[in-house]
Amino acid sequence: MIAQVNKSIVFSPVDIEISYKKQNPFLSSLQVKCFCSSRLSQNAKVSHSGSVQSPVILHSTRISRVARTDAQRVLFDYLHCTRNFDFNDAEHISKNSPHFIENLLTKIDNDKDVVRSLNKFLRYNPINEFEPFFESLGLRPSEVPLVLPPHLMYLGDNDMLLENFHVLCNYGIPRSKIGRIKTTVVKLVSCCPSLLIGGVDREFVNVLGRLNRAGLKNDLIGGYLSAKESYDWKRLIDTIDFLDKVGYSEEQFHDLLKTNPVLVFEGSGKKVYLLFGQLVKLGLKVNGIYSLFTQYPQILSAKRVKNLLRGIHILLGIGMGVEDIANIISTQMERLCSTALKGPKLKAAKYYPPGGPTNKLEKTAFLLRLGYVENSDEMARALKMFRGRGDQLQERFDCLVQAGLDYNVVSSFIKQAPMVLNQTKDVIEKKIACLTNLGCSIDSLVAFPSYLCYDMERINLRFRMYIWLREKGSAKPKLSLSTILACSDVRFIKYFVDVHPEGPAMWESLRNTPASS
């Protein structure tokens, strides 16, 4: 199945960080990072043996097959016996690096005993092991200098590279094809490691086929993917089917993805479903929604979706009935999508000091929209708990909705944790960004809205410790936010620090190191 993406591969060197999940040895989490510059240095990289990786040079002296075989055997013995390489690794490298072997033979007199001469040469001239290794992975001789790590010559100095190599081998990827793996494939494996096990993922192949038919090449698709995301291929197919059903031509679909790929790929089409669901809630019929999308195909741009959802939110906020809102959408769709509406403001506010009657009116209006009952004891308590003007509270509330949470869900968990809105919009946005950067879904706030109440120092410190512990295989791959953040310091140290021999030292190091470093 991977071959379907990897067809017509153009080399793109990457180093993939792969760590096994202890609970399931067949799945891995991957993180992509480049390990060297793709720019070719003006000076050729020379190994300690004096060999230079350069395009193939035609030598005047032809090297016999016997000499090549002897050289392969010497290289195998050197890697396996002297450098303690695994038998299979040493055998593969020695038999699949002909250009390196040829360069090696130019260092000795081929007319003499090749085995003896090469053994003597290698005894005093250790080689740059990355050269034959990369060649054995399928890289062309001219490509090897592009990926040679600076200041390193022994493969053992980059144990992560070898570990990744072995993981890919264990998945059944031919050793000589690993060097030809494309960045797109790496991203796919990073966000969906299950693609490497079992049979062909037909939903993924279906998505790929549909996108190809719309004129999107594999390289372009790879550019839309993020290794930090996970993808629901079935939902993506449903999204594509939906767009097809409402009348998007392949050309329109192609243009939509080129200008707004986030709309389809981020959250596997979640924004499309969010908009569709909001329109259904307002009472619009499914066929009517299809008709609107057909009439206004441009409304699915990221900016227009944002404008429309904000417009609906404002109309609900001022107390307009759902039938009236549905009627406005049906007749004024283009205007709602193309204009960023602003919420109502009370002009009299400037004549009153903070906490004055206008502020109370604004705050009361905001709480009424959340579902509080006017003049109730619950409303009186809420007026004391929520700090800030009504427009500020609304702005903070909108920030959560615009992050991807459902309006009703936000209303519900704000009642559970009103202190969430007592922070500035900037602080809330930083905490949401931190959550997504940690690989957590925005929906995880539904179960634990109090996450937004913890300070950034606690969040960063505890999650950095947990991620380190997880990489060491001493923590479960997925834990709830509350498990990591809500426990006391004593309990956290017991279950997330002391469980690993190096834990206390790492904990102390993290405490003394800023999160940004």
Side-chain angles (χ1 to χ4, degrees), residues 19-61:
S19 58
Y20 281 111
K21 290 184 179 177
K22 297 295 183 181
Q23 288 74 15
N24 189 341
F26 295 102
L27 293 179
S28 300
S29 61
L30 298 87
Q31 183 177 355
V32 181
K33 69 175 186 179
C34 292
F35 66 80
C36 67
S37 171
S38 62
R39 188 180 302 167
L40 180 59
S41 172
Q42 294 296 324
N43 300 319
K45 293 182 174 67
V46 183
S47 73
H48 283 238
S49 66
S51 64
V52 179
Q53 276 291 359
S54 58
V56 177
I57 300 173
L58 296 176
H59 301 287
S60 57
T61 305

Side-chain angles (χ1 to χ4, degrees), residues 1-5 188 192-209 233:
M1 175 194 53
I2 291 294
Q4 300 209 24
V5 185
L188 281 170
C192 299
S194 58
L195 289 173
L196 290 177
I197 64 173
V200 174
D201 188 323
R202 298 190 182 281
E203 289 170 348
F204 162 69
V205 174
N206 197 356
V207 169
L208 196 61
W233 305 115

